[in-house]
Amino acid sequence: MLSLPFVPAGRQPLYLQLYQYIRSEAEAGHLVSGEKLPSKRQLAKQLKLSVVTVEGAYSQLVAEGYLESRDRSGYYVLPVAVRPELAAQSPVPNVPPLQDGERHYRFDFATSGGDPSSFPFSTWAKLSREVLSSRDQALLSAAHPQGVPELREAIVRHLYQFRGIRVSPEQVIVGAGSEFLSTLLVQLLGNQGGYALEDPGYGKIARIFQANGARVCPIPLDGQGLRVDRLEESGARVVHITPSHHFPLGTVMPISRRIQLLEWAGQAPDRYIIEDDYDSEFRFSGRPIPALQGLDREGRVIYLNTFAKSLAPSLRIGYMVLPVPLLERYRKELLFYSSTVPSFEQYTLALFMERGHLDRHIARTRSRYQARYAALLRAAEDSGLSRMCSFSGGEAGLHLLMTVKSPRSQPELTRLAAEAGIRLYPLDTYYLCELSKDRFCTYVMGYGKMSEGDLQDVFKLLSTIWLF
Amino acid sequence: MLSLPFVPAGRQPLYLQLYQYIRSEAEAGHLVSGEKLPSKRQLAKQLKLSVVTVEGAYSQLVAEGYLESRDRSGYYVLPVAVRPELAAQSPVPNVPPLQDGERHYRFDFATSGGDPSSFPFSTWAKLSREVLSSRDQALLSAAHPQGVPELREAIVRHLYQFRGIRVSPEQVIVGAGSEFLSTLLVQLLGNQGGYALEDPGYGKIARIFQANGARVCPIPLDGQGLRVDRLEESGARVVHITPSHHFPLGTVMPISRRIQLLEWAGQAPDRYIIEDDYDSEFRFSGRPIPALQGLDREGRVIYLNTFAKSLAPSLRIGYMVLPVPLLERYRKELLFYSSTVPSFEQYTLALFMERGHLDRHIARTRSRYQARYAALLRAAEDSGLSRMCSFSGGEAGLHLLMTVKSPRSQPELTRLAAEAGIRLYPLDTYYLCELSKDRFCTYVMGYGKMSEGDLQDVFKLLSTIWLF
């Protein structure tokens, strides 16, 4: 009978020490494939260990494939094709953290998100507690793949009230942000035939379509928005647009162009329009611009929106409304996907909307943003900079365009601002095609996070460094 | 000068009534393209309205593209190509709700998720409150695209403690569940060359790969798990496996097969192994089976796991660990994607892990599930059904296999159980290829949600209906 000269040492459990000993003997080739080991009882006696200890070691070795247990015969060594380098413990790879690389700016006109300080924290916390204490089981079971019904119903009411859109909760799909939903859309619509985009536009959307294997067709704009006449020649089958407030130019697509766009979609089967309504809640004057979705009679418009602007980007809750024929395709092909938003967040948001908190929050922040918009124009006036700057595209949303007339070049103006601690975003960087780039010096100014004092400081600084 | 015979009526704001009147006149063709409207002041006088009211109506009509404002000249009617059907308000589509279609079962052996009643609700609620009250700003800003650092560090500690895996937090990517992460992986690895899958296996994974445009190659298993010798001929470039506890068979892939698999990956550039470690926390005896990831020296193993089994499926938090070369590719190509998990959930889970609650919860539920596993075997014994049933694959996880020897066919046994209120899942349904289907009558029994009393009832019922 094979003898195993095992000597316990150290503090680890005995079964573990014995397991490691036999394992290393096998890996070192001291135990040969096919060799029979002593029975559990024999080895226990031989090593003065309990049978339970030997059993623990043997069963782990069997589970990991070092030994084989043959019925009514005993334990046999299995072949181990261990490469020598496997014996060593693998070190933790030394991965450099993501380079922050960005210098710190005192003032940043990035367009992402609104003002976090306006988030109604105590209300949210109160509703969270309410959800946690009242919905135990519902919170833990998997949510409906399209999102919990309460939230979809609240979204439908919101859409009717804010956008005049009438849809059924069955058409709504809740998901972890508009980026995720765009990924899902490529899966639903297929990546053949080209995805048209506004140029300039929201740069990420091109990257998302490309990462999902779709060809991207940048389409230029004119004063009425996307040039629908260019769609046909582009060969695109799907078009992504921001018709109610173009990002970043602020253009509102007039009714005639909207109808032209819908007609384009109707001219071939399987043409679709993705209407990204990213900041429609923040129109400052007049009624909201009617959504394209409401004009669609042929089931070609997919309405997409999120709560990133109206509440907080970190919530990661977006939604889309599918026209009925696409909904049927989604239910056939993609309904197997689980909901990507935690049920807890979904119930909390539903309650937040049902009780009118979202309406009140939007009304409050809208007037706050409107005041900031006015403060920006005033600060430019006060600083004397308005002599060289003109502003446009600010009737809605949380950004506007500032065009500077200066003998200095745009890179120089941008650099001077950066040196003074002001981060500006040239319109150039929103273009996909080199050729159509802005010939002037225009900046996209996201002012959602700026206080009125900040805006005064920024324009005082800019007038000092740009005028002299 | 054009005269507009507008008469206010009803309760809506006057500017809105005027807007609607002019809009419908334009749509009806009573106002012709190019026609000049009265100035704001003239119209206000003519209709006895305030100038502000007319201004509100005009600017809305300009924004929507019904009118054009020409500098120092006035307002002109634009062409409206409205199709007659647009005038009518679009009705809410009548979409049937998702057919529940499923009859209600008293006992359901589905394998999804664990027992929600074990979720440590009060601890989670307490930590949620702590996060909400201490992290205002961090909660609202966009999270790091790979997940908040605190959570990635907690995951790294968890992986070392439970799986002996040593990785850097920089390698971890947190996302909204393993389904979403699998979608991201197809974007990262490309959909060329085929994705191999275990057959039988987790059916959804095939659908996810297919929905993302990848060809799926089902690979049969033998007693040691996936037949690596079949990988070469399949032409696959990526393989998805559950080596530590095969789903649903329960097979543990022995060390020699694991090494064979790693060697397959090393034989060509761009071959990868997705190690889905979905229920490794619930191994009942001995040490955990070492993860494949720990044996990988060439950067070919992607480790994937979630908190769906260990905490709750509705949390929608999963993570993956990328080998360094793939991490570099991810950072170059896909880092633009925002994190898909709400920051709030990420911070709460990080705190839950840091304070040791997850460890305690896993220890508690593991012994609870082990007791249920024993209870299931006991219930089968007590009922007399163990004469015709054998059990396997239950050393880990929350399911086992039950093979029934009966003169009756599997569909008949399944139907009899269903009529008695017991939902059983035949192993057949986990196969992708018809030909390799189970010739016997085997069921995949997820017992995670079953109480011991339930299990006694189920087997008493089954013995009554199956034995007689």
Side-chain angles (χ1 to χ4, degrees), chain B residues 18-88:
Chain B
L18 181 58
Y19 150 80
Q20 278 159 347
Y21 172 78
I22 298 176
R23 178 178 156 173
S24 58
E25 290 293 286
E27 286 176 353
H30 302 151
L31 289 172
V32 187
S33 168
E35 202 160 358
K36 188 180 176 182
L37 288 184
S39 75
K40 289 179 278 189
R41 200 167 300 271
Q42 288 167 334
L43 190 61
K45 210 171 151 196
Q46 181 186 317
L47 299 176
K48 298 191 176 54
L49 298 169
S50 80
V51 175
V52 173
T53 299
V54 177
E55 192 163 69
Y58 274 18
S59 59
Q60 185 69 28
L61 289 160
V62 169
E64 295 184 15
Y66 290 92
L67 299 185
E68 179 185 33
S69 158
R70 295 190 199 150
D71 263 1
R72 289 185 195 81
S73 165
Y75 291 88
Y76 292 83
V77 179
L78 282 174
V80 192
V82 176
R83 292 170 296 180
E85 71 269 26
L86 285 183

Side-chain angles (χ1 to χ4, degrees), chain B residues 96-107:
Chain B
L98 272 184
Q99 280 174 343
D100 197 354
E102 319 234 310
R103 49 188 286 188
H104 183 72
Y105 291 89
R106 206 174 134 210
F107 306 104

Side-chain angles (χ1 to χ4, degrees), chain A residues 16 139 179 287 314 338 345, chain B residues 16 139 179 287 314 345:
Chain A
L16 200 56
L139 281 181
E179 299 174 15
R287 304 195 332 149
S314 61
S338 308
E345 242 80 17
Chain B
L16 200 57
L139 280 182
E179 299 174 14
R287 306 194 328 150
S314 60
E345 243 79 18

Side-chain angles (χ1 to χ4, degrees), chain A residues 45-307:
Chain A
K45 208 170 153 195
Q46 181 187 318
L47 299 176
K48 299 192 173 54
L49 298 169
S50 79
V51 175
V52 173
T53 300
V54 177
E55 193 163 70
Y58 275 17
S59 58
Q60 186 70 26
L61 289 160
V62 168
E64 296 185 15
Y66 290 93
L67 301 185
E68 178 186 33
S69 161
R70 296 188 199 152
D71 263 1
R72 292 186 193 79
S73 164
Y75 291 88
Y76 293 83
V77 178
L78 282 175
V80 191
V82 176
R83 293 169 296 180
E85 71 271 24
L86 284 185
Q89 174 65 273
S90 132
V92 181
N94 186 7
V95 188
L98 272 184
Q99 281 174 343
D100 196 354
E102 320 235 309
R103 50 187 286 190
H104 183 73
Y105 292 88
R106 207 174 134 208
F107 306 104
D108 193 324
F109 282 92
T111 53
S112 57
D115 181 1
S117 70
S118 71
F119 186 81
F121 243 105
S122 59
T123 307
W124 191 265
K126 203 182 124 280
L127 297 176
S128 300
R129 278 199 296 280
E130 195 173 325
V131 167
L132 269 172
S133 63
S134 67
R135 288 200 167 263
D136 295 31
Q137 293 310 306
L139 281 181
L140 294 170
S141 325
H144 187 292
Q146 291 185 223
V148 306
E150 288 86 341
L151 178 58
R152 286 185 284 128
E153 277 154 25
I155 287 171
V156 164
R157 283 191 297 271
H158 176 79
L159 282 176
Y160 181 61
Q161 188 186 338
F162 276 78
R163 311 294 284 118
I165 298 176
R166 294 156 159 281
V167 296
S168 153
E170 297 296 327
Q171 292 175 267
V172 176
I173 296 167
V174 173
S178 64
E179 299 174 15
F180 166 75
L181 290 170
S182 301
T183 297
L184 203 61
L185 277 177
V186 182
Q187 292 178 49
L188 183 64
L189 304 177
N191 57 15
Q192 306 304 305
Y195 278 60
L197 303 168
E198 294 163 323
D199 189 23
Y202 179 59
K204 253 192 198 182
I205 196 76
R207 302 196 68 176
I208 292 169
F209 290 147
Q210 282 166 336
N212 287 279
R215 182 174 65 89
V216 157
C217 319
I219 307 285
L221 308 181
D222 60 17
Q224 307 204 325
L226 184 118
R227 287 194 51 184
V228 176
D229 59 320
R230 292 287 191 88
L231 272 178
E232 194 68 53
E233 66 195 72
S234 77
R237 191 173 55 80
V238 179
V239 56
H240 175 276
I241 46 161
T242 54
S244 296
H245 185 234
H246 175 262
F247 185 84
L249 299 182
T251 320
V252 175
M253 185 179 273
I255 184 76
S256 53
R257 183 65 60 89
R258 287 167 187 247
I259 286 164
Q260 216 187 325
L261 189 62
L262 289 166
E263 280 170 353
W264 166 84
Q267 273 154 22
D270 230 26
R271 279 188 179 171
Y272 293 99
I273 299 164
I274 303 172
E275 175 177 29
D276 192 341
D277 206 29
Y278 68 106
D279 69 354
S280 57
E281 287 89 355
F282 296 110
R283 190 162 167 76
F284 298 143
S285 54
R287 304 195 332 149
I289 304 298
L292 204 50
Q293 203 275 352
L295 300 174
D296 179 29
R297 291 295 173 280
E298 302 188 29
R300 302 307 182 92
V301 175
I302 297 149
Y303 178 91
L304 186 66
N305 207 341
T306 77
F307 296 95

Side-chain angles (χ1 to χ4, degrees), chain A residues 119 307-308 311-317 345, chain B residues 136-143 339-347:
Chain A
F119 186 81
F307 296 95
L311 269 168
S314 61
L315 262 189
R316 306 315 304 157
I317 309 187
E345 242 80 17
Chain B
D136 295 30
Q137 293 311 304
L139 280 182
L140 294 171
S141 325
S339 172
T340 43
V341 183
S343 310
F344 173 67
E345 243 79 18
Q346 295 194 48
Y347 284 113

Side-chain angles (χ1 to χ4, degrees), chain B residues 127 130-131 346-357:
Chain B
L127 297 176
E130 196 174 325
V131 167
Q346 295 194 48
Y347 284 113
T348 307
L349 179 56
L351 216 52
F352 188 81
M353 294 174 80
E354 277 164 24
R355 305 229 175 122
H357 296 298

